Amino acid sequence: MRLRCIDQDGRDTLGYRSTDIAGNVETLKTVNIQLAMTQIIRGMLCGKINVR
């Protein structure tokens, strides 16, 4: 799995898929997203702020 921090406003594409209990991997699916974040949300998403 590849993870990356999205810390800027704008458009991005999110890819996802699942694996069942037998190990069958689903075909990759994507969804386009539009982000408009505040500074606090940027920090939370990128692990710069510890939320408890």
Side-chain angles (χ1 to χ4, degrees):
M1 178 184 344
R2 182 180 61 120
L3 298 176
R4 66 183 174 92
C5 177
I6 300 171
D7 62 355
Q8 295 180 352
D9 294 346
R11 293 183 175 166
D12 210 333
T13 301
L14 175 68
Y16 63 97
R17 64 177 156 218
S18 64
T19 304
D20 67 18
I21 198 164
N24 300 307
V25 180
E26 180 180 36
T27 303
L28 182 67
K29 296 179 182 172
T30 60
V31 62
N32 294 317
I33 55 176
Q34 175 74 37
L35 301 172
M37 297 181 280
T38 64
Q39 188 64 34
I40 190 84
I41 297 298
R42 283 187 187 102
M44 289 168 51
L45 290 175
C46 297
K48 298 174 186 167
I49 297 174
N50 190 7
V51 179
R52 296 179 192 255

